Amino acid sequence: MEAMQRAVEQACIDFQRPATQQQAEATLIEFRNSPSPIAACQHILEHSSNPDARFQAVVTLREAAIREWVLCSPAAHRSLRTYVLHHILRHAGEGASLVQKQLIGTGNPAARQAGIQIYEEIVTEFSPSTASAMGLPWDYHERCCASLEADYLRSFYVHAVNIAREAAPAAVKEQDGGICLACISLMMAILCWDFRKPGGPLQSFGTRRSDSSQVRPGAAWAELLLPAEATQWLWDLLAALQGNELSPLALRARSLTALLCSVCGDVFPPSNASDRSALGLPGLSAQDAYLQRLLGAVMRWISPPEEVVHRVACGDGAAESQLLDACRAFAVAAPVHRAAGFERAMPGDSSGSPSGGVLMTLARLTQACIGAGGVRQALDVTWALNATDILVDAWADLLAQECTLRQKTPPSATSQAAATAVFTSFVEAALQDQASGALEDEEEDEEDSGNAEAREEWLTRAAALGRAAVLPSLQLLVRLFAERQHQLHQCMAAGALTRDPSVPLEELSWLLRMGAHLLADPGEGETPMVPLPIMALVSHHYQQPNPVEQLSQCLLAVAGMCLDESARPLCSPRLMEAAIWAVARWADTYLFPEEEFNSPLAAAFGAEGGGLHVLDALVKMAGALLSHWPGEVDLHAVVCKRLLRVLVHRRPICSRLVHLDSWQHLAGAFAAQAQEVRELKDKVQRSLVQSLCLAAAGIPNAQTCEQYITHIMHSVAAEVTALAGHPDLPSIADRPDVLQRVYALLETLRGAAQGTTARAQPTLFVMTASLMQPLLLLQTAYRRQPEVTCLILKVAGDVVEAHVSYLQAQDAQVLCQWVLQLLQLYSKYNLGLISVQTGKRLQEEAATGAYRDLRALLKLLTHLTQRDLVDFGTGSDNGGQAAVDVAQVVFLGLDVLIPLISLDLLKFPKLCRAYFTLLAYMLEVYPERVAALPAASFSTLMRTLEFGVAAPEADVVQSSLEALAALARFHCDAVAGGHPGVQAQNAGEPPVLARFLEVVMRRLLLEEYGRDVVEHAADALLPLILAYPSAYQHIGESLLAGQQDANMRTTLTRALTELMSTNGVIQSTDRTNRKRFRMNLGKFVTDARSVVRLR
Amino acid sequence: MAEEHHDVHFESADAGASTTFPQQAGTIRKNAFIVIKGRPCKVVDVSTSKTGKHGHAKCHFVATDIFTNKKYEDLQPSSHNCDVPHIHRTEYSLLDITEEGYVSLMDESGNQREDLQLPKGTDDSDKLAAQIKKDFEDGKELLVTVLKAMNEEMINSVKVTSAGS
């Protein structure tokens, strides 16, 4: 050691002299590369008085540590880390002045830049989510993070601003050595810090506190961010960089500006007059003044908008970059400040001249981008599409408040004018886009549903714009409807097409969707309200004609074209799809409205006014489209799934619907299984019959209701019976025409079940009961057609769901018996089949087949368990007799199901959720029967349960933990009572259940954290600990074994002991004890996680 | 009217002799069967498209021959009828396998036939044949399903009814 020290010291001295330099260099390099030099380095650091030698030792130590890190033991890692930290602490004072000078002082620019980068690294490193993995407990990271934010972050920021301001003039000439750029990066890193909410929880274990991308510093940051001088240097810098907009510095500076735009929250002091005058800003709050400065800066990038957009269109990259940055800045500021804030910050003059106000400028910018191709997918101008997309987002946020909150004051004149201008250009450009794409072929593929969603999203945002200036928007659309309808009719003369109508058709299709979006919100099962801006317009706008009514009539008129035989050549399937979609959305809100409008709308569409007439027309349209547009499956689906569903959704409509001749006609066509009904796709038939049945809710008289349902269903029921009883069934069953009928009939039965309401239920059950035997026969006949088999299971699932909670004990018996027989048949024919399906694709198909069957089975069983609840509720006892009980059926089902289930199949989320829900229920109610399952089934079940506990989906974890808790409690209680519990299944070392102790612990301590997981885990953990105290002991020991630090060990030991000792927890699984344990576990997890989780 | 329909449909005597039936293209689903270029096929994919945006719907079928696994495609207006093959599936107990790969089968009513060979021609068929041979040699009782369409026949799947000795 000594010799090594002397050698290094000597070499350092020799190195200074040119004569011996080479020799010395060789010595030093040799020292640096020598194996395991760490001890020698430490020795030199401790004992040498030569600073150069100490420097060499540090460098060597660093290199060696990196080089040999993987070779060292964890203990060596720890001791080295401890040594280095201690050394730094002990000698902190000595080098401090030097280091400080290096970091912030007037040293050379490269060093200063590096120093600033170190600060940035520190910020990144101290944020737990971005910290690199150092193998330290989370608790440590959290405390570092809190300390940095409280004590240092602000001074870092001030520091960065000061240096940047100082360096800016040189930076413009690129003579600052990158210091300014580094400062800006540092500021951005600081602003992106995940700021703590005041009083928020201290330990969140690496999950971000706020999900949004907004910058939410606390009130303490106000003095740093809000004063004018805090940002003036940045504007000066940007101004000085003019002509050099694509330099990294300019790009960064603009990004920083955008980030500053998104600052929100407590940093803005509550605005009141005294504060404002204190800040010397009469009339403008601190927030508005801040926004004013930012907007002023951003506006410079896009002034004047038309010219900038023109330059971009000509390929000016600098202008494009500035334009997009400006759009982004507006978009992030919009949700914070809203239109009102924008207007206060930069009001236009009252004359509304083009130069006035940020909102008008923004409108002009948006118009210019739209004009450059911003909504024309066909043109494919990426920048314009992006810019428009961002701007429309910004508008939606700007105007959001005005649209959604019931405000006393309507949107200001300026925002209305701006919204009108933007909406008008938007509509015109979109129509142009439609027209230019009208002649292209339409290909439907997987992306299409995504496209449709994106289109809906667009229209929703556009509608938000339109609603901000609702009167002119409605008038615009009404005018366009009239024009395009006229153009469409021009394409036809004397009942024949004379011109290609594609363009007006496509434009009308778009207008229909836009109009429906503007007028109505989506229902999604609820009854949507009339949007507030429209409500306000209706109640204030007394003059005739009312634009809301006018636009409604436009939608109805286009849809109604299908009733006019002479106009039918013009009614393309696509137009009708859009029209029916639009009137369905409209009808949900406006037809027979719940809240009667005291207005023209009541007269036009209310129950007492023209509503009945409109309803009749809508039903006739449905009938016409189903019969005169054969093979248009998409159109039929919209008619049945959208329009008819809306009509039967509300009772006031139903009660009038069922008396209409048009409805009777539709029901009659179905009842007679007329040719046009038979030709509908089976799923469409299902949806049709569902609506027909649901309409029965509108019939008050039970007998009439029975007649109505019987009328609809009798021929279907007769056909099923006849087919099942057909003497040649085995030979004709596979015939395609028969098969197609079977699909249709089974789908119809599903539809009837899905359309069951309380009033129609008795009639439908009688009908279903009469078909149970025939369905069993069909199940046998179609045993080799997996799709039919599955469909029958689905029928059963739907039937059980529809009826199970209404039935009397006797009928419930019938139902259970039937399901039992179905399951027996299913298991008889479907287990153990190996087929030619060994090819990869076919195997996938087999997997989806298994998936489909399993889901159908699971649904059936889950619905059946609902019956238990009914029986418990009524306290009915039919036990003791030879009755089939629900549990028996469900366990037979589980017998069938468990061999089919595999961990691969559980990766399908829907299946997974359904499976664990059922499992949780069965284990909770019948743990003793689960314990008695055959060993193979039981172990499969346990494997799936283990999968469930570790699953990422919260609800799956919850169900699995509930299931586990039930089983563990059962076992624990049974053992306490001297019974075997699940002992029979529990052979092996460690026992199956005991292994779950570790699984749950791992979940709690090491994996992603959710508060609710703790609650559910507690119920599972308590009985497990009670049943297997030695396993618990073992886990505790292994946890402790991983901890070297004495403090950590103490914390952990205390946590482990307290879990089972404090708060009055005793050795019992009763309710109060479970509650206490739950509280203990919450604390235990917080304490233990902070120690055990490393990063 | 309804009664008439299903009487007509299910009891027409000569329909049983036909090997194909007409069905509207729009109602043919994935995994169903269809005749393309005179071959019985299983539909692996259906997509709909329109002639121009405002034309009538058309169905584009991608299907594989159920015997040879060869891929076929077809485009039909969705309101037109397509031919759908009548697929028969019959289960037989496997009695014997000869050296030449012929099998001896017996149906539910005890009728025997010896005119069928083990499946062959594609990878999947060869695998199935190997599986059947192996299980048969292991002494398992086997039930094979024979697929018949448009006057062609092939063993399509096998099921073990008892594990054997």
Side-chain angles (χ1 to χ4, degrees), chain A residues 55 201 317 394 659 816 879 908 918:
Chain A
F55 172 75
H659 299 299
C816 281
F908 292 97
L918 180 68

Side-chain angles (χ1 to χ4, degrees), chain A residues 45-286:
Chain A
L45 279 173
E46 296 301 315
H47 299 99
S48 173
S49 56
N50 181 336
D52 284 333
R54 289 212 305 272
F55 172 75
Q56 291 297 339
V58 170
V59 172
T60 310
L61 182 64
R62 188 184 70 182
E63 285 178 359
I66 294 169
R67 192 172 61 224
E68 296 176 8
W69 187 257
V70 283
L71 303 174
C72 295
S73 66
H77 291 165
R78 262 189 303 276
S79 76
L80 179 59
R81 189 161 59 218
T82 316
Y83 171 77
V84 172
L85 287 171
H86 280 235
H87 181 81
I88 290 172
L89 285 177
R90 255 182 295 132
H91 301 271
E94 302 165 16
S97 60
L98 179 73
V99 173
Q100 228 163 23
K101 216 153 89 207
Q102 291 274 335
L103 284 183
I104 60 171
T106 51
N108 75 48
R112 292 188 65 190
Q113 187 207 8
I116 295 160
Q117 279 165 350
I118 287 174
Y119 278 121
E120 194 183 335
E121 286 300 322
I122 289 174
V123 172
T124 319
E125 210 48 66
F126 274 65
S127 180
S129 49
T130 47
S132 44
M134 301 178 230
L136 290 170
W138 272 101
D139 176 55
Y140 188 81
H141 285 285
E142 284 288 335
R143 276 187 282 128
C144 290
C145 160
S147 141
L148 186 77
E149 181 176 337
D151 304 330
Y152 302 104
L153 210 53
R154 267 170 299 160
S155 43
F156 283 7
Y157 191 81
V158 172
H159 194 59
V161 172
N162 287 339
I163 298 179
R165 185 186 291 136
E166 199 182 299
V172 175
K173 295 174 224 141
E174 293 181 28
Q175 289 168 354
D176 67 333
I179 292 177
C180 194
L181 186 62
C183 284
I184 291 178
S185 294
L186 172 59
M187 277 183 254
M188 291 179 69
I190 294 173
L191 288 174
C192 290
W193 180 263
D194 184 21
F195 291 98
R196 244 160 242 276
K197 286 202 185 72
L202 182 70
Q203 283 160 335
S204 68
F205 305 111
T207 43
R208 266 186 86 89
R209 276 167 281 271
S210 55
D211 299 325
S212 71
S213 55
Q214 286 175 336
V215 178
R216 235 175 232 291
W221 286 76
E223 50 183 314
L224 271 57
L225 294 174
L226 300 192
E229 58 273 20
T231 44
Q232 190 54 48
W233 66 272
L234 184 60
W235 316 146
D236 294 342
L237 174 68
L238 279 167
L241 283 168
Q242 210 163 24
N244 208 1
E245 284 90 356
L246 286 175
S247 66
L249 184 60
L251 290 174
R252 275 268 138 174
R254 284 203 301 275
S255 300
L256 176 62
T257 312
L259 205 54
L260 287 169
C261 281
S262 68
V263 167
C264 64
D266 295 339
V267 65
F268 298 120
S271 75
N272 57 50
S274 61
D275 279 353
R276 290 182 204 173
S277 51
L279 282 161
L281 294 160
L284 213 53
S285 71

Side-chain angles (χ1 to χ4, degrees), chain A residues 437 441 444 506 572 574 631-632 678-679 682 726 734-736 783-785 787 834-836 839 841, chain B residues 5 9-11 21 24 29 31 48 52-54 56-57 78 85-87 89 91 108 124 156-158:
Chain A
D441 273 4
E444 258 180 51
E506 192 61 10
S572 78
R574 184 176 161 93
E632 298 296 341
R678 287 165 164 266
E679 278 181 0
D682 43 21
H726 196 287
D734 285 342
R735 239 167 58 191
R783 59 185 178 274
R784 288 182 222 99
Q785 295 269 14
E787 264 147 27
I834 303 165
S835 74
V836 72
R841 188 176 51 73
Chain B
H5 266 297
H9 265 261
F10 300 140
E11 289 179 16
F21 288 80
Q24 201 190 65
R29 46 165 89 203
N31 292 333
T48 55
K53 280 202 169 70
H54 291 276
H56 290 284
S78 86
H86 185 180
I87 311 280
R89 287 185 182 81
E91 274 183 354
E108 280 166 346
D124 291 341
N156 159 262
S157 68
V158 61

Side-chain angles (χ1 to χ4, degrees), chain A residues 355-673:
Chain A
S355 64
V358 63
L359 286 179
M360 282 320 284
T361 312
L362 201 49
R364 281 164 54 205
L365 178 68
T366 316
Q367 282 182 297
C369 288
I370 291 174
V375 291
R376 308 211 26 205
Q377 302 292 339
L379 293 184
D380 205 18
V381 187
T382 317
W383 67 266
L385 288 171
N386 287 346
T388 311
D389 204 36
I390 302 171
L391 285 170
V392 171
D393 259 342
W395 280 108
D397 280 330
L398 281 172
L399 300 168
Q401 214 169 12
E402 270 84 346
C403 293
T404 52
L405 297 183
R406 194 183 282 272
Q407 279 195 324
K408 295 281 186 298
T409 49
S412 73
T414 321
S415 36
Q416 284 202 34
T420 312
V422 176
F423 185 70
T424 310
S425 347
F426 177 78
V427 168
E428 280 166 0
L431 281 180
Q432 253 176 29
D433 190 38
Q434 299 301 312
S436 65
L439 296 172
E440 287 163 19
D441 273 4
E442 197 204 26
E443 285 287 338
E444 258 180 51
D445 41 26
E446 282 92 70
E447 290 107 68
D448 215 56
S449 62
N451 278 346
E453 251 169 57
R455 183 187 62 193
E456 294 292 288
E457 166 75 31
W458 253 107
L459 289 171
T460 306
R461 290 187 295 172
L465 262 172
R467 284 180 193 174
V470 71
L471 182 62
S473 305
L474 289 168
Q475 285 166 341
L476 172 71
L477 290 188
V478 169
R479 182 169 59 75
L480 291 169
F481 257 109
E483 280 175 23
R484 298 307 191 270
Q485 259 187 297
H486 180 70
Q487 286 170 13
L488 181 63
H489 284 287
Q490 296 275 299
C491 296
M492 209 170 79
L497 286 179
T498 50
R499 220 185 301 159
D500 181 4
S502 290
V503 170
L505 281 175
E506 192 61 10
E507 290 177 326
L508 271 176
S509 302
W510 189 85
L511 282 172
L512 284 161
R513 291 190 190 272
M514 186 70 250
H517 271 278
L518 186 63
L519 283 174
D521 291 323
E524 284 154 7
E526 310 272 314
T527 306
M529 309 267 287
V530 176
L532 292 169
I534 293 188
M535 198 60 163
L537 178 73
V538 170
S539 43
H540 292 122
H541 193 84
Y542 289 112
Q543 90 195 51
Q544 286 296 341
N546 183 299
V548 179
E549 190 190 333
Q550 274 184 307
L551 186 57
S552 307
Q553 297 290 9
C554 287
L555 303 183
L556 289 168
V558 177
M561 282 166 64
C562 69
L563 297 176
D564 174 5
E565 264 180 65
S566 64
R568 275 190 197 155
L570 291 173
C571 300
S572 78
R574 184 176 161 93
L575 178 73
M576 287 296 114
E577 247 173 78
I580 293 301
W581 181 90
V583 291
R585 180 165 168 139
W586 169 86
D588 213 9
T589 309
Y590 290 89
L591 190 62
F592 294 12
E594 305 264 290
E595 27 171 356
E596 281 295 329
F597 314 110
N598 189 10
S599 73
L601 290 187
F605 311 120
E608 309 307 322
L612 207 57
H613 179 70
V614 174
L615 180 62
D616 187 43
L618 291 176
V619 177
K620 280 185 182 144
M621 289 173 207
L625 292 170
L626 289 180
S627 48
H628 295 290
W629 274 258
E632 298 296 341
V633 178
D634 294 343
L635 175 59
H636 297 160
V638 174
V639 170
C640 289
K641 288 194 181 142
R642 292 269 180 188
L643 181 59
L644 294 183
R645 196 60 53 81
V646 164
L647 298 186
V648 297
H649 177 51
R650 280 183 283 141
R651 188 159 296 189
I653 305 188
C654 281
S655 60
R656 286 164 178 92
L657 196 63
V658 286
H659 299 299
L660 289 175
D661 283 346
S662 48
W663 187 262
Q664 294 291 349
H665 184 75
L666 193 63
F670 181 82
Q673 290 284 296

